[in-house]
Amino acid sequence: MAWRSAFRIHDPELVFLRSAVRAAIVMPAVFAFAYKVIGNAQLSFFAAFGSFALLVLVEFGGTIRGRLIAYASLVCVGAANITIGTLCSQTAWLAGAAMAVIAFVILMSGVVNGYFAAATTSALLTFILATMVPAPESALPSRLEGWALAAAVCIAAQLLIWPLRAQASLRSDAARAASALAKLADTELQRDTETIADRVREAGTALRGLRARFLATPHKPSGPTGPQAALNSLVDELDWIMSLLAPPAQIPALDVCPEENADTVRAVVDGLQATAATLDGGDERPDLDRLRETRDALARALARQIVALPPGSDDRAITATFESAFRIRALSGATEQAGTYALAASGEGEPRPLLAALRASEQETVEHANPRDVWFRNSLRGAVGLAIAVYIAQRSGVQHGFWVVLGTLSVLRSNALGTGWSILTALAGTAVGIVLGSALVIGIGHHEVVLWGVLPLAVLVGSYAPRAISFAAGQAGFTVVLFVLFNIIQPVGWRVGLVRIEDVAIGFAISLGVGTLFWPRGAASLLRENLAASYARNADYVVAAEGELVTGTGNVAAAAEEAATAAHRLDDAYRQSLAERSAQTNGAENLAPLIAGAARLRRAGQSLSSLAQMTESGEKLAACGANLDAEANAVRAWYITLGDALVRGTTVPPPHRRDAEGHRRLVECVREALESGDKPKKRSALDLIWASQHLDALWQLEEHLSRHAAQATSA
């Protein structure tokens, strides 16, 4: 069964097949031109492997302009790596030291941008080839010419022959989710219980599909560029909309401010439909002004309802008055934000200035430069492993020593268990490739014309197998490519297979040793710690934003930055844990709701911060808002305790007790402010009501999170 699944094809849209056919056409053609027409050995070698790096190891998605910039940047980095690698290639310790620095920089650069992360292996390959094939400085021009030849032909092929648009697929999933949410929002007006249930399931399925594709993307679409960052944020925003549309209890009727509620919901439905159309490439655009206007009208209607409440109304009646309007107002704000993200993700948002992008890149790097960050650990582990491999390969004098380093690179994972499993599958795949390649070479003999004829087919299989079948199949296919390629350059028959398996075995051993010594538990050891840290920082953000809203004091900017840093680290740790075999156990099914809960907590902090910014500084109504302090701090204490229980495995806290008397005092104080007729005071009073509802939503979330946390800690 294991072998059957290891060699099962997964390419329903034939994307990988088109890419492999492109490589099978272009790579042999480039190699043939360099080897037969130009006739320079160094140039031919770097043209062949440069083509492999640019056609097989990387394929950028997005707009033509974005892809062209990404490929041009990779070419520049590759040229620099070839230069440095060649200059270091004849001194083992210098080559190892340079490998450590360059590998760490390249691996860490992935935190800045998804393009950088996708190009990691290709960029590393250029340095590995240059330093592991020792040559004097005089060989450098030929090497750079080979790389330039590969770049010119392969980039043109990538952009013109079946160009990939990976982000369009994610946008399409986001469009389907937005459309499903629009249908669900429309049921707010229909009040058909059966329809609501069906559309909740439909929207939930669409959201799960979007989230699954987003997490399955090896490198999340984030970074300093507007469209990438917007697409990343859009996924969370649609999740937030779903939580507002499908609460645990039955959706309440629109019996408070019914006309204004209905107008706001209609604007939400149209906004979500237009958002879906925008993401799908249509002409319709979300009407953001209409969303704001209907939301403001709802706020004014609610103010009139609060003033009309009879004195001494109990907490239940007050909550019933606020809940529906609050939820719909929050839904309108989230829909407006989702529409803004959709416009930016489609390239229609405000362009981000270069200086701002550079500052964002710097901030991303600083955020991750921490030993508690999974990306930092992976980068350091990879740099150490590759440096050791380079030094050992150079000192030992093994033939084709670059395979030692490539063997280390190919199987080095984030945990020792993952590395060990990769080694077994890589060895099995390599063994299969040796058998097939040996049989092929023995059958062909020294007929060079036949070898040239087989090369495109070998490249086709070697390019298609790792992406459409499995890692083991990829190792087998790549080994066959090497058999054919090296027997064209220097006919040695089946013996090239023995050289390859000897060299990569050394690399596998180095990889396993480094994986065992450097954080062998991988992302699993950090996931819960990062989850707890995210709860703590997001809870601090909520309290800081509440303080800013009530009294105008508190360092909200610093709290927001720390919450964002914690969220990024949690996302990386979760994404990495899903790629590890250990993610299938240890309560992973209960961690997903807990991670979503951390995002909800941060989203509440952002909403409170927005309310604080809109409230006039002279009308904070501190006396009324003082009643929120106790509840905000109680929420903070509960979420911090929850995170601590996840890390330590202690008893999960039950939901905290609400301060009903404080809530009653808040409402009475707000009512007085509204009755005063003073417009700034009325605005501030409504903001306090919205803030109170945000805290109430976080309290309602506690029971849901307690249940999943208890199951996760007991797993």
Side-chain angles (χ1 to χ4, degrees):
M1 293 297 294
W3 280 105
R4 187 179 302 173
S5 62
F7 289 91
R8 183 178 299 161
I9 295 176
H10 303 280
D11 188 19
E13 299 178 4
L14 301 182
V15 174
F16 299 143
L17 180 60
R18 289 194 291 269
S19 177
V21 171
R22 179 175 56 221
I25 295 172
V26 176
M27 181 182 171
V30 172
F31 176 55
F33 180 81
Y35 187 70
K36 290 294 186 180
V37 178
I38 299 177
N40 183 295
Q42 290 286 338
L43 188 152
S44 301
F45 183 82
F46 278 84
F49 282 95
S51 299
F52 186 84
L54 293 168
L55 289 172
V56 178
L57 298 182
V58 66
E59 194 164 5
F60 298 119
T63 63
I64 293 293
R65 178 177 179 274
R67 300 181 73 203
L68 184 59
I69 292 174
Y71 280 116
S73 301
L74 176 57
V75 170
C76 293
V77 171
N81 284 346
I82 291 171
T83 302
I84 298 171
T86 301
L87 297 177
C88 298
S89 65
Q90 300 188 78
T91 307
W93 70 264
L94 184 60
M99 181 79 261
V101 174
I102 288 176
F104 183 79
V105 171
I106 290 176
L107 292 170
M108 273 297 292
S109 70
V111 305
V112 173
N113 187 283
Y115 282 156
F116 289 7
T120 293
T121 304
S122 295
L124 288 173
L125 179 63
T126 57
F127 182 85
I128 291 170
L129 293 175
T131 195
M132 293 312 302
V133 182
E137 296 179 14
S138 59
L140 182 58
S142 296
R143 292 181 165 196
L144 291 175
E145 288 170 10
W147 173 245
L149 173 63
V153 177
C154 295
I155 292 175
Q158 289 276 32
L159 295 177
L160 299 175
I161 304 175
W162 297 312
L164 176 69
R165 289 175 173 81
Q167 284 195 32
S169 178
L170 189 59
R171 285 202 301 269
S172 296
D173 282 352
R176 283 191 290 272
S179 179
L181 290 171
K183 294 178 182 177
L184 177 57
D186 190 49
T187 60
E188 294 277 322
L189 304 173
Q190 299 175 12
R191 314 315 305 167
D192 184 345
T193 305
E194 293 184 3
T195 302
I196 290 176
D198 291 340
R199 292 189 175 176
V200 165
R201 285 192 294 270
E202 179 183 345
T205 300
L207 261 295
R208 285 191 295 273
L210 171 62
R211 177 63 67 177
R213 183 183 288 274
F214 177 70
L215 291 173
T217 305
H219 314 292
K220 64 180 179 180
S222 62
T225 59
Q228 289 180 310
L231 191 57
N232 181 35
S233 300
L234 179 61
V235 177
D236 287 334
E237 200 68 35
L238 293 177
D239 273 340
W240 173 247
I241 292 173
M242 179 66 181
S243 70
L244 293 168
L245 282 171
Q250 183 178 355
I251 298 174
L254 307 181
D255 53 359
V256 178
C257 315
E259 182 178 345
E260 292 78 9
N261 272 338
D263 288 344
T264 306
V265 171
R266 290 190 188 96
V268 165
V269 172
D270 293 343
L272 288 172
Q273 289 174 341
T275 294
T278 300
L279 291 168
D280 264 338
D283 296 330
E284 189 177 359
R285 296 294 177 264
D287 189 344
L288 306 182
D289 289 335
R290 181 187 172 196
L291 286 165
R292 297 188 198 103
E293 291 168 0
T294 55
R295 192 163 64 246
D296 289 342
L298 175 59
R300 292 192 295 270
L302 180 63
R304 294 192 296 270
Q305 289 284 343
I306 294 173
V307 172
L309 281 174
S313 299
D314 61 21
D315 187 66
R316 183 175 300 177
I318 295 171
T319 301
T321 302
F322 299 153
E323 187 177 65
S324 178
F326 162 76
R327 188 174 58 81
I328 292 173
R329 183 184 185 277
L331 180 61
S332 172
T335 301
E336 179 187 347
Q337 190 63 67
T340 303
Y341 288 144
L343 291 171
S346 302
E348 299 185 22
E350 291 293 327
R352 196 166 191 176
L354 177 60
L355 183 59
L358 292 175
R359 287 175 178 171
S361 300
E362 180 184 2
Q363 182 179 348
E364 287 273 1
T365 304
V366 171
E367 284 181 2
H368 290 277
N370 187 298
R372 309 307 299 168
D373 183 83
V374 69
W375 204 295
F376 178 88
R377 289 187 176 186
N378 286 344
S379 300
L380 183 59
R381 181 193 295 108
V384 172
L386 291 173
I388 293 174
V390 166
Y391 182 79
I392 290 178
Q394 287 230 358
R395 293 291 295 176
S396 63
V398 295
Q399 187 179 5
H400 300 311
F402 60 86
W403 291 119
V404 174
V405 187
L406 291 181
T408 302
L409 176 64
S410 65
V411 301
L412 188 62
R413 297 294 187 262
S414 67
N415 66 342
L417 180 61
T419 299
W421 181 252
S422 299
I423 288 174
L424 292 177
T425 55
L427 283 173
T430 300
V432 172
I434 288 173
V435 172
L436 295 176
S438 298
L440 187 65
V441 170
I442 292 172
I444 294 174
H446 296 290
H447 299 286
E448 184 179 350
V449 174
V450 180
L451 286 172
W452 277 105
V454 170
L455 181 60
L457 180 61
V459 172
L460 174 66
V461 175
S463 303
Y464 187 65
R467 288 186 273 184
I469 304 176
S470 69
F471 177 60
Q475 290 292 108
F478 190 45
T479 300
V480 174
V481 173
L482 293 177
F483 263 94
V484 177
L485 192 63
F486 277 106
N487 274 281
I488 291 175
I489 297 174
Q490 184 180 3
V492 292
W494 58 270
R495 288 186 297 275
V496 70
L498 297 181
V499 173
R500 170 164 165 73
I501 200 167
E502 172 190 332
D503 292 347
V504 298
I506 296 174
F508 294 168
I510 294 171
S511 183
L512 181 59
V514 171
T516 302
L517 292 175
F518 286 79
W519 303 294
R521 294 181 58 197
S525 64
L526 276 180
L527 180 56
R528 296 193 184 208
E529 293 179 23
N530 285 334
L531 181 55
S534 186
Y535 275 126
R537 300 292 77 77
N538 291 336
D540 290 342
Y541 185 18
V542 168
V543 171
E546 184 269 341
E548 174 71 16
L549 177 66
V550 173
T551 63
T553 60
N555 194 346
V556 179
E561 183 175 337
E562 290 180 1
T565 298
H568 295 159
R569 289 177 180 167
L570 175 59
D571 182 84
D572 288 333
Y574 184 48
R575 188 182 296 270
Q576 184 64 59
S577 73
L578 292 176
E580 297 175 358
R581 293 176 67 233
S582 57
Q584 304 303 319
T585 59
N586 204 25
E589 68 280 0
N590 290 303
L591 287 175
L594 294 171
I595 290 168
R600 291 273 299 275
L601 186 61
R602 183 180 174 217
R603 190 66 177 80
Q606 292 171 333
S607 297
L608 289 171
S609 179
S610 298
L611 287 174
Q613 294 170 10
M614 292 186 294
T615 302
E616 297 181 20
S617 58
E619 296 293 345
K620 292 291 184 180
L621 296 182
C624 293
N627 295 293
L628 286 177
D629 291 341
E631 182 62 20
N633 282 289
V635 166
R636 176 182 179 274
W638 188 89
Y639 279 95
I640 290 177
T641 305
L642 173 65
D644 187 68
L646 289 170
V647 172
R648 300 176 182 273
T650 55
T651 303
V652 176
H656 74 274
R657 297 185 63 180
R658 303 295 309 280
D659 182 9
E661 180 60 24
H663 185 64
R664 188 193 62 77
R665 291 196 302 268
L666 169 67
V667 173
E668 290 298 327
C669 191
V670 165
R671 191 210 309 268
E672 293 177 5
L674 292 173
E675 289 175 340
S676 69
D678 185 282
K679 187 174 181 180
K681 284 186 177 182
K682 291 175 66 175
R683 174 70 199 202
S684 297
L686 284 176
D687 288 343
L688 291 180
I689 290 297
W690 303 135
S692 174
Q693 291 296 298
H694 276 297
L695 295 178
D696 185 70
L698 293 178
W699 173 74
Q700 293 179 24
L701 184 63
E702 290 176 5
E703 182 177 358
H704 172 71
L705 296 179
S706 291
R707 184 172 63 257
H708 286 286
Q711 294 171 353
T713 54
S714 62

